[in-house]
Amino acid sequence: MICSVAPFLLPGLACAAGVRPTMATTYAAEAIPAAWAGYSYYEDDGDNADINALLRGIDAVMCPPNTGDLPKPYFLAQSRRGGDHGASFNGMLRGIPSVRVPSAGAMDAHDATPTTPVAVLAAPRSYGDDEHAAVTTIKTTPPPPPPKKTQQCGGEYDADIDATFRVMETDPAERPSEDYLSGTQGRGMIMSDRAELVAGMHRFSRHYALAPGTLHRAVSYIDRFLSARKITTGGDCDCQLRLLGTVAVFAAAKYEDRTTCRRINADAVAMYAGCTRHEVLDAERQLVAVLGYRLSGPTAHTFVDHLMRHDEEEGVAAVVRALAHHLAGMALLDYRCVAFLPSAVAASAIMLATETVLGCSIAPVAGYEVDDLRECVEAIYDMHENLLVWPGCAGMMEDWELATRLPYSLPPPYMLSGMS
């Protein structure tokens, strides 16, 4: 309901006397409609007249302002006063300063050479030569890019890698003791016990098709571990050695290939070693702790790959490389080869493989003369001559023949230059 006596103001409007009109003042000269009496609405014959009067009053109050009373732009106001709107507007446009746009013909879009003009600037003032300042021409054309540095892949790069490997393999912290069977183990183990341990590690790594080089790294782990810790003798000695070997292979495989855990896990190691999962994890922690967490030393497998990296991957060169890896793997079974550096074992294997396949010697190999490799070569010959005596040798030979279908026999020792 709308109250007719309440003074509500309409904003923006004012009367001539400065008093804002209200509904009460609007109907002051007329009678208040009967429909507003008593703040109620009555249906009678005068309804239509009262509603019309109300609408006329609202229309009178809410009438829009005249357009002449609205503010106008200055140029329209001037045109109204001057009487010529078009002339004033044209004059205003003429008063705006014009800007000349250069033509598009100044630059050819298909020309690859920049067309920016050369700026001629004065040289900077210095050392009192202001009066005779030279004029320097500065071109905006960017300088040509510097030549890209090519990666060093020559002899110097190979020599750096070889020197790094030689330093790492002679590090005393990563070298096993040459006589740990008689020293640390107190003759509780013999050479055949170690050979059987390595043979079991070889079977375990082949069963799970672990990464190449895993066996070499694992054998280096157990040699270093046995050089520092004594295995207790007794009925569980074999169980301890089997657990040590499988854990060493597991740790080495994870170092060689990050995807090892997809093929083998602690449960598989525990099943092979005949123990629990917790015993496997504890043995692995103990192994890496005894090794001082130094797990990245180069092995004979590393040196074979490094020394034969420039040979072809197919044909006779591939056969020589594969046979060299096989001979270096067989050297792992012989405890006497622990005293040799991995580079010496790799050089002996490469020399024997080259002589076997190609019938020629390539001495010196990796800086070793034939006399330097005499003892290691004799150990490899001894294992081939006594396959049934050395545990694991016959199994490695069978694996080689099944994998390559290439049986071989080492040349006589006198065929090697410098050996009698």
Side-chain angles (χ1 to χ4, degrees):
M1 294 184 295
I2 301 176
C3 180
S4 61
V5 297
F8 85 74
L9 304 177
L10 295 177
L13 300 177
C15 58
V19 180
R20 303 181 68 87
T22 63
M23 295 293 291
T25 56
T26 302
Y27 293 101
E30 302 178 2
I32 297 176
W36 292 77
Y39 304 98
S40 60
Y41 179 75
Y42 297 95
E43 296 181 1
D44 54 8
D45 297 335
D47 289 343
N48 294 335
D50 293 339
I51 291 174
N52 292 334
L54 176 62
L55 293 177
R56 284 194 302 272
I58 293 175
D59 187 31
V61 175
M62 297 297 297
C63 61
N66 296 327
T67 57
D69 298 331
L70 297 175
K72 305 174 182 59
Y74 71 96
F75 57 85
L76 291 180
Q78 292 178 358
S79 64
R80 287 177 180 267
R81 288 193 298 268
D84 188 3
H85 169 69
S88 300
F89 186 72
N90 293 333
M92 179 196 67
L93 294 179
R94 287 193 298 270
I96 300 175
S98 61
V99 179
R100 182 179 298 276
V101 180
S103 61
M107 177 177 293
D108 187 2
H110 300 283
D111 190 3
T113 305
T115 56
T116 305
V118 176
V120 180
L121 304 177
R125 299 178 180 179
S126 60
Y127 301 103
D129 55 352
D130 299 342
E131 297 179 358
H132 305 283
V135 177
T136 305
T137 302
I138 302 177
K139 295 185 177 181
T140 59
T141 305
K148 296 182 178 180
K149 295 183 179 180
T150 58
Q151 186 178 3
Q152 187 181 9
C153 297
E156 296 181 358
Y157 183 72
D158 293 340
D160 291 342
I161 296 178
D162 186 77
T164 301
F165 284 161
R166 296 299 178 93
V167 172
M168 294 177 66
E169 71 170 349
T170 56
D171 187 358
E174 297 191 10
R175 290 292 302 158
S177 176
E178 299 179 4
D179 56 348
Y180 68 82
L181 291 183
S182 59
T184 306
Q185 300 305 319
R187 299 187 183 275
M189 292 179 59
I190 59 177
M191 296 173 60
S192 60
D193 295 335
R194 180 189 175 277
E196 290 179 356
L197 173 61
V198 175
M201 297 166 61
H202 171 68
R203 292 191 297 268
F204 181 69
S205 61
R206 284 185 57 85
H207 177 73
Y208 287 99
L210 301 179
T214 298
L215 181 62
H216 284 264
R217 192 167 299 279
V219 172
S220 68
Y221 290 170
I222 65 168
D223 286 335
R224 291 166 57 191
F225 182 87
L226 295 175
S227 299
R229 292 291 180 90
K230 179 179 175 57
I231 297 296
T232 58
T233 59
D236 60 344
C237 180
D238 294 339
C239 296
Q240 294 182 33
L241 289 178
R242 185 166 58 251
L243 176 60
L244 174 63
T246 51
V247 167
V249 172
F250 185 44
K254 289 189 291 185
Y255 179 87
E256 293 289 340
D257 186 5
R258 68 178 65 181
T259 63
T260 297
C261 293
R262 300 178 183 176
R263 297 190 296 271
I264 183 176
N265 52 23
D267 295 329
V269 176
M271 183 181 300
Y272 184 85
C275 60
T276 63
R277 174 186 176 87
H278 295 288
E279 291 177 345
V280 170
L281 298 179
D282 292 340
E284 185 178 12
R285 296 190 191 98
Q286 184 181 7
L287 173 67
V288 296
V290 171
L291 300 180
Y293 302 94
R294 302 169 71 94
L295 309 176
S296 59
T299 63
H301 186 276
T302 306
F303 275 101
V304 170
D305 281 342
H306 171 66
L307 297 176
M308 303 189 70
R309 62 192 177 280
H310 296 305
D311 295 345
E312 297 179 0
E313 299 294 336
E314 300 177 355
V316 178
V319 176
V320 174
R321 182 198 296 267
L323 183 57
H325 278 304
H326 167 68
L327 296 177
M330 291 191 66
L332 295 174
L333 298 170
D334 196 342
Y335 171 72
R336 294 173 294 181
C337 294
V338 175
F340 304 132
L341 293 174
S343 59
V345 176
S348 301
I350 293 173
M351 186 177 63
L352 287 176
T354 306
E355 185 73 27
T356 302
V357 177
L358 301 179
C360 60
S361 178
I362 57 171
V365 180
Y368 291 101
E369 298 291 342
V370 176
D371 292 338
D372 301 330
L373 306 175
R374 182 183 301 273
E375 295 182 9
C376 185
V377 171
E378 289 178 352
I380 297 176
Y381 267 101
D382 183 65
M383 285 187 294
H384 283 76
E385 292 176 357
N386 301 279
L387 293 177
L388 300 179
V389 175
W390 283 96
C393 289
M396 284 192 176
M397 290 293 295
E398 293 177 1
D399 293 339
W400 162 262
E401 293 180 0
L402 290 175
T404 62
R405 304 292 181 181
L406 295 174
Y408 69 94
S409 60
L410 296 179
Y414 65 84
M415 294 185 60
L416 299 178
S417 59
M419 298 185 68
S420 57

